[in-house]
Amino acid sequence: MTDNRPDPDALLDELKREEAQACRGRLKIFFGACAGVGKTFAMLAAARVKQQEGATVLVGVVETHGRKETEAQLSGLEVLPPRRIEYKGRSLAEFDLDAALARQPQIILMDEFAHSNVPGSRHPKRWQDVEELLAAGIDVYTTLNVQHLESLNDVVGQITGIIVRETLPDHVFDRADEVSLVDLPPDELLSRLAAGKVYLPHQAERAVKNFFRKGNLLALRELALRRTADRVDAQMRAYRADQSINPVWHARERLLVCVGPGPGTEKLIRSAKRLAASLDADWIAVYVETPQLQRLPEARRNRILKGLKLAQELGAETSVLGGSTLAATLLAYARTRNVSKLVVGKSNRSRVARWLRPSLVSELSRQSRDVDVYVVAHDHDEAEGPRGKEVDSLLFSDGEAGKPQRGYFAAAAICFATTAVNHLLVPHFALSNVIMVHLLAVVLIATRYGRGPGVLASFLSVAAFDFFFVPPQLSFAVSDTQYLLTFVVMLAVALIISQLTARFRFEATIATYRERRTRALYDLGRELAGALTASQIIETAVGRLEPLFGAKVMLFIPNSEDQLRAATACGSEADTGVAQWVFDNLQPAGLGTNTLPSNAALYVPLKAPMRARGVIALLPDETIQAFLPEQQRLLETCAAQIALALERVHYVEVAQDAIVAMESERLRNSVLSVVSHDLRTPLTTMLGLANMLTSPNLPAAQQQDVARSIQDEAIRMNKLVTNLLDMARLQSGVKLNKEWQMLDEVAGSAVRSCGRSLARHQLTVSLPPDLPVLEYDAVLIERVLANLLENAAKYTPPGSHITLSASCDGQRVAVSVSDDGPGLPAHMEHRAFDKFSRGAPESTTPGVGLGLAICRAIIENHGGDIEAGNLAPHGARFTFTLPCGTPPALPPEEA
């Protein structure tokens, strides 16, 4: 008996969906084959009807393209002013999302659903703006052409020769509450185009020669109609599932053919293909594995696999199902997929066999009130072939294949043991209680060993009870005829219990198998999501797929020239040439395929949304596993997850390379700026001063002043070039010449080298006499101090106080250069040490912004830190630290 009660979890999920939908706006898409069919006109007409009914309508974005009929529909509708966005020196109009949310209309019109927003907008795509409007409870009307759907983008490009860059994810289209198809015959559309109702005359002439050819319009129209029909079909199936409607609705023909292990399988599949072609219907080929079909000879198992492969080659969707009864499982699956016609082969069993157990055709005819059943005859003289060795289930392996007799021996042994136990119980319990012990044994046997051993245990239990416990004992004779009824009831109960137990065992095994597959996919997806490099992805894929498929897994990854290389250890079984063919052609090859089927391994491309990311090869331990439809689909799903992970890591690397390239470009521009401005300025000054020296009328006193000016500009230019060279030398790596020495000597040298820069400032040097001896490169640390002192003098007005001080906390020595000038600009404390960073963009102070960057590089090479900060009420402080370390012991004095 079928339980038609609704699933409580499904009801709860439906209530949650309805509650979320109640707070969300409704999305209506006016869908068409191409521009000019009247989508925008239909959207405006529908909006005007809603406005007349009292709804608040706001026009967010409508593109009329100069069409007078469309512009006339705008009259009387409130239009939202666009937002202006500056982009590359131009002011562009874009949809004002914040203003629309603030207005909160009941309906808003958003033309061109797949439109890309101007950079600088909140969302890169218009459909993302629409999502935010829907979340705010606003109904949205929008328009869309079929070529903008992501899944059809390549198909449209192949038909028209034009690749559309603006696309919409299919899941957004599928989630729309309503899709209204706006259709127009191609001849009428071409007439509108010629009349200038779609484009301007010169644009229309080009369009007719390119995109708007009649063949293109016919193909696009068919795509739009089919996509709308697919959506309606999906909505119908969802409605039937939500309303728990079991009867099939014959809205669209769909065939289901049942593949079995018997003869005539190929004829059955070809007949189903011809029937599906004549009806222009989709068709599905399934094999249902029941407990009776759980173990089959290898020849019959191969016949099933061959039939499923043939159906797949002929265009069918294939699947392997598991169920207790063949007819009920077929019909349940058929109703789930809204199948209208079921095709099965004619039974060739004897009349007695059909009387004992009804045929599949009889069961389907009796139970299929809403599905048409087609019976295909086949040749009865087709040879069955030798029985051969039995092999495992197509759905799972229970470890018992090839040894079914073990269960029967175990059943006999358990029945014998149960009889021995009952001998001990008979003196203390009535015979009715002894029967319960036998029934318990039947349940245990059926649970552990299945249907056949359970049936054997039922008969053995009845026989043992009669022979050993019913008077006269040790005889099958019955003294009391009432025991005959006891035997019949006991046998019936035992058989029913064994059948039900075996059925539950089979269904539990199938559920466990499916749970294991789902868990494996979840674990694979979770680990791939956490992988950060391609090597981690490959390691995860191999570790997860090898136990899942019982096969050796090998991965091939392309290099920059799209030549595959083995990313895992590959033996002689791996063929890089086959993998390269699979990668180039995006088709599987090897074991179980039509390309190189004699190869020992199965090669599957790793297809990501943008391109192929490699090839995965499986060398199965059991050849039969590679042919199973369920395994093939599982492998395709795993391959898709691996490809997505590899593509994600690839684009992360691309983004990192782009950041590096942008930084390199910024540095290059900064260097060019230095060369063109900061080097050119002193050179120009020196040239001018040199020309003055050539003048014969220049007094001797002025000649001295000009010479000193030339010297100052030369020193300035020398420092600038030195900074550039030092920065390059530090980045390429420099070997420090460290020695143990006092800090005050280097500080004094730095102060003397900055004498000209510090001449108009007040310098205070405060170095404690008890500073420890430090190990450092004297030349580089002097350079750090000189840069900090010159930097303080450069960015403070004349007369300012500059202080050079130091302190020690026992582990590190901190050296500071502070001033009482204006201080650092806001948020410059960390950026001050970046290359080519200046105090302020508008600063007129000469320099290239490398001094502090050089200081940081030198200090970090010494194992120290450097930081900057502002002082109160004004001023700046730069502090660097050096580790104290342990100086070497002084050598003993000579006697």
Side-chain angles (χ1 to χ4, degrees), residues 138-151:
I138 303 173
D139 294 347
V140 178
Y141 285 6
T142 187
T143 62
L144 181 70
N145 289 330
V146 68
Q147 66 262 30
H148 293 293
L149 283 177
E150 182 67 46
S151 63

Side-chain angles (χ1 to χ4, degrees), residues 374-391:
Y374 287 71
V375 181
V376 177
H378 57 79
D379 299 328
H380 293 280
D381 57 352
E382 184 176 338
E384 277 282 352
R387 182 171 179 82
K389 184 185 75 171
E390 292 184 347
V391 294

